[in-house]
Amino acid sequence: MRAVVSSLAFVLLVVACATVPPAQQEEAVAETLSLIDEADAQTLTEASARPFLLDGEIVELSTDVHALWRGLREGDFVLGDFRIQSVDAVDGESYLRFADNQEVEWFFEQHVGEEARLVTVRGRAATYLFLMDGDRNGAPYIRGFTGPL
Amino acid sequence: MTRRMLTRIHGTVMTRRVPKKIPFAVLLLGAVLSVGVAAAEEAEVEYLEGYPELRTSGGTTRELDFGDRVRPGESVRTGPHDLVELRLPGGNLATVHPETVFRIDRYADDEGEKENTGYSNARGHVRYRIDQLTGREQRVGTGTAVAGVRGTEFDVFAGDDGTALFAVERGVIAVRGATEEVELRDGQGVEVRPGLEPGEPVEVDRDVLDFSDWNAERTRAVLDDPLGSIQAVRTRMEQLAAELRPWEEAWRESRERLEELRQERRRIEAEEGREPANEFYREEVLPKEVRTSNLRLNVRYWTLSALSLRRHVAGRIYVLVRTRYITRPDRELYRNYIEEHERTVEYFRDVFVPHLSRLDI
C-alpha cells in the first residue's frame, strides 16, 4: 500500500512539474534571468518575447530588442547575484507597474497570457521588475523589463 | 510546405526559401509609398530571404511566405538577414531590405471621394521601381516626407532618428516636406529631417551608398543629441496632428449628418412607405455613408502614420537612450531627454490614441 501511495505521489509531482508554466517556476525563471549577465545580445534577443515592453514602450522589432540588450551592456548594466523577491500573477492592474497609459493596458490585454508572471528581482545594485511569459524549452521568455524600482 | 535551401551570398550563409510552384516571388520593403489607384490594392510576395514577418490588421504576427498577399492595414517587417520583393499594383516593384518596416494603407483623396493605396516605411530601406503609372501621379514618401513619382527607380531610406533619404537612380521625383518641394533627377538625392523641409539636392553615388553606414550616422546623431532627436519627432507628430484635425472634424460632422439622414429615412418609411424610403436611402443616405467611411479612412491613415512614428522612431530612440543611461539616470542630458519623451507620449495619447484600438497595439 505504501509503495502505491509513494508511486502515486511521485507521478502527481511529475505531472505537476510538467504542467506548471515555466514563468511560474522559480528555477526556470532564474535560468532565463541568468542569461542577462552571461549571454550576448543575440542570445538574449532569442530569449525575449515580442512585442516586448520596456517601461511604457512597446518594442515590436527584433532589431530593437537586440538594441535593447546591447544598449544595457554598453550602459554597464549588471544584474549581479540576484534574488527573486516575488512572483506575482498578472491581473487587470499589472500594466500600472510599467506605465499608466492606454497603450500599455492594451499591451497586457492583447499580448500577455494568464500564465505570465511579474517577477521582482533584487540585483546587486537595485531592484527590477521582469515580465516572464511563454515556454522556451522549459524556461520562460522575458517579455518585459522596468526599473530600478 | 515551403522548401528551404542554404545559399552562400557574398560569403554569408543565408537561408533562402524556394516557392513551390510560384514562378516568381515578390516582397515589400519598408518605406512610405502612395500609389494613386482607385481601389484598395494588394501586393504579392514574389521573392524572399530569411524569415520576414507579416503583421496583420488584426494585430497578429506571422512568418511571411512566397505568394502571400499584403493587404492595406498590414505591414512587412524584416530582420537583419531578411529581404522581400513585392509586386505592386500595375506591375511595379518594391524591394524591402533588412531591418525595415513596410506598411500598406488606404486613404481617400483630398475631396474624401476616391480611395487610394499608400506604401510607407517608417524605418529601413525600400527600393522602388515604378515603370507603369496607374492613371495619376504616384506619390512616394516616408513618415517625414512624400514625393511625386513619374516613372522611376529610386531608394527610400528611413533612419533611426526618423530622417528620410531619397536617392533617384533614373527618372524624376518631387520630394515634399511640410510645405516645400525639391525635384530630384538621375543620380540625385536629398535628406529630410523629421519636422523640417527637404535639404539641397546632392549628387549621390549609388555604388557607394550603403544604408547601414548612413543609418549608423543617424544612430550616432541620436546618442549625441537625444533631446534634439525627440524634439524633432515631436515636431513631426504635431505636423501629423495638423493633417489629422480637418479630417477628424469633417468625419464627426459627416457622422452626425448621416445619423440625421438615417432618422429621416425611418420617418419617411413610417409615414410614406418603403418605396420612398428606399429612394431616399439611395439618393441621400448611401452617398453620405460612403463619404463618412472615406473620411474615417483618412482619420485612420494619419493616426496610423503617427503610431508608426511613435513606435518605430520615438520607440527606437527611447531604447537607444534609456538603456545606455540606465546606470546614470541623473545625467542632465538624460533627464532633459526623458522629460521631452514623456511630453511626446502624452501628446500622442491625447491626439491619436482616441482613434486607435487594442488591435493596433
Side-chain angles (χ1 to χ4, degrees):
Chain A
M1 183 63 180
R2 185 180 297 169
V4 172
V5 170
S6 298
S7 299
L8 190 60
F10 178 74
V11 168
L12 287 173
L13 183 65
V14 169
V15 169
C17 285
T19 55
V20 174
Q24 298 171 26
Q25 300 174 35
E26 230 172 84
E27 262 186 39
V29 170
E31 183 185 325
T32 297
L33 293 178
S34 66
L35 293 174
I36 291 172
D37 287 349
E38 295 167 6
D40 59 16
Q42 184 55 40
T43 304
L44 282 161
T45 301
E46 290 163 10
S48 303
R50 284 185 294 126
F52 189 96
L53 190 62
L54 172 63
D55 308 323
E57 290 299 308
I58 297 165
V59 184
E60 292 183 4
L61 307 181
S62 62
T63 187
D64 289 345
V65 174
H66 188 275
L68 183 155
W69 293 117
R70 196 181 60 196
L72 285 174
R73 188 61 48 87
E74 290 176 9
D76 300 322
F77 175 80
V78 176
L79 198 54
D81 290 333
F82 64 86
R83 184 168 57 85
I84 295 176
Q85 289 186 332
S86 66
V87 178
D88 302 320
V90 170
D91 61 28
E93 307 273 283
S94 294
Y95 74 94
L96 294 168
R97 298 183 69 179
F98 283 81
D100 183 6
N101 70 51
Q102 180 74 75
E103 286 182 90
V104 177
E105 185 176 3
W106 279 336
F107 172 90
F108 269 81
E109 291 174 7
Q110 188 76 355
H111 301 292
V112 181
E114 288 180 1
E115 294 173 348
R117 288 294 180 270
L118 290 165
V119 180
T120 307
V121 178
R122 177 66 203 176
R124 188 178 66 190
T127 301
Y128 302 94
L129 181 67
F130 291 88
L131 176 59
M132 312 298 287
D133 197 5
D135 187 345
R136 177 178 179 261
N137 301 321
Y141 288 94
I142 306 173
R143 188 180 278 284
F145 167 67
T146 191
L149 299 180
Chain B
M1 176 74 78
T2 301
R3 290 176 290 140
R4 293 168 190 268
M5 66 179 187
L6 289 177
T7 307
R8 187 170 290 277
I9 301 174
H10 304 311
T12 305
V13 175
M14 305 185 74
T15 302
R16 172 181 290 186
R17 286 190 282 177
V18 181
K20 269 190 308 184
K21 292 182 179 177
I22 301 166
F24 50 92
V26 176
L27 287 180
L28 277 175
L29 295 181
V32 176
L33 169 66
S34 299
V35 180
V37 289
E41 300 279 0
E42 300 172 348
E44 183 183 0
V45 176
E46 284 198 343
Y47 174 79
L48 62 79
E49 292 174 4
Y51 301 90
E53 295 175 345
L54 174 73
R55 182 179 160 104
T56 69
S57 54
T60 59
T61 302
R62 67 173 173 82
E63 212 173 281
L64 199 63
D65 209 343
F66 285 90
D68 277 348
R69 290 182 181 278
V70 183
R71 299 175 174 82
E74 297 183 332
S75 62
V76 170
R77 289 109 187 273
T78 54
H81 307 296
D82 303 337
L83 182 85
V84 180
E85 287 179 2
L86 291 169
R87 177 71 62 184
L88 303 179
N92 299 313
L93 283 175
T95 306
V96 183
H97 286 258
E99 301 191 330
T100 296
V101 183
F102 175 83
R103 182 175 175 85
I104 303 181
D105 283 304
R106 291 164 68 200
Y107 65 95
D109 61 14
D110 288 347
E111 287 73 41
E113 304 293 341
K114 265 185 164 179
E115 285 183 26
N116 289 329
T117 302
Y119 306 94
S120 68
N121 60 315
R123 288 256 302 280
H125 171 200
V126 179
R127 182 173 177 76
Y128 293 99
R129 200 179 76 200
I130 310 293
D131 288 327
Q132 296 180 33
L133 302 184
T134 54
R136 65 178 73 175
E137 179 187 78
Q138 301 201 314
R139 288 186 293 157
V140 178
T142 71
T144 300
V146 293
V149 179
R150 294 154 213 157
T152 184
E153 199 160 346
F154 62 100
D155 295 89
V156 181
F157 302 88
D160 281 357
D161 64 345
T163 295
L165 170 62
F166 296 80
V168 176
E169 183 168 340
R170 62 176 178 83
V172 182
I173 67 174
V175 177
R176 289 187 291 274
T179 58
E180 295 175 16
E181 179 178 297
V182 299
E183 193 169 87
L184 300 181
R185 294 182 175 276
D186 295 10
Q188 289 189 317
V190 71
E191 273 192 354
V192 189
R193 300 286 166 83
L196 299 179
E197 302 299 342
E200 285 297 311
V202 295
E203 296 301 315
V204 173
D205 184 350
R206 290 205 67 265
D207 291 336
V208 297
L209 185 59
D210 180 88
F211 174 69
S212 297
D213 292 344
W214 178 79
N215 194 44
E217 283 181 28
R218 304 323 319 152
T219 308
R220 273 195 296 277
V222 168
L223 295 174
D224 288 347
D225 183 13
L227 177 61
S229 298
I230 193 64
Q231 282 173 334
V233 170
R234 167 76 178 274
T235 301
R236 179 59 188 152
M237 201 173 276
E238 288 168 353
Q239 290 171 352
L240 294 173
E243 298 280 4
L244 168 73
R245 285 195 182 100
W247 296 108
E248 194 178 36
E249 193 178 328
W251 171 57
R252 289 202 172 113
E253 285 173 3
S254 187
R255 206 173 45 171
E256 286 170 14
R257 178 66 184 142
L258 176 61
E259 186 49 40
E260 289 170 7
L261 290 171
R262 283 171 171 162
Q263 285 177 11
E264 178 65 8
R265 180 188 178 278
R266 286 193 286 272
R267 186 196 64 75
I268 293 171
E269 185 171 20
E271 295 178 5
E272 303 172 32
R274 178 161 291 183
E275 189 53 38
N278 287 349
E279 190 180 336
F280 182 80
Y281 174 80
R282 282 192 301 273
E283 290 180 2
E284 301 291 337
V285 182
L286 183 58
K288 182 56 79 176
E289 284 179 341
V290 172
R291 179 165 170 75
T292 305
S293 171
N294 283 341
L295 293 171
R296 171 67 176 148
L297 208 56
N298 282 2
V299 170
R300 282 285 291 172
Y301 178 82
W302 292 111
T303 298
L304 293 176
S305 297
L307 176 62
S308 200
L309 182 73
R310 189 248 182 288
R311 188 72 74 241
H312 300 301
V313 181
R316 172 72 171 185
I317 293 170
Y318 186 84
V319 166
L320 291 171
V321 178
R322 160 79 158 113
T323 53
R324 278 162 181 79
Y325 285 87
I326 192 165
T327 57
R328 300 171 292 163
D330 293 332
R331 293 284 176 93
E332 188 178 359
L333 179 144
Y334 176 73
R335 286 204 320 269
N336 291 340
Y337 160 76
I338 284 293
E339 283 174 11
E340 182 62 20
H341 172 83
E342 287 171 357
R343 279 194 289 271
T344 303
V345 169
E346 277 176 27
Y347 184 80
F348 179 81
R349 180 197 65 197
D350 293 344
V351 177
F352 297 104
V353 168
H355 298 297
L356 292 172
S357 81
R358 193 176 62 178
L359 297 181
D360 295 316
I361 299 304

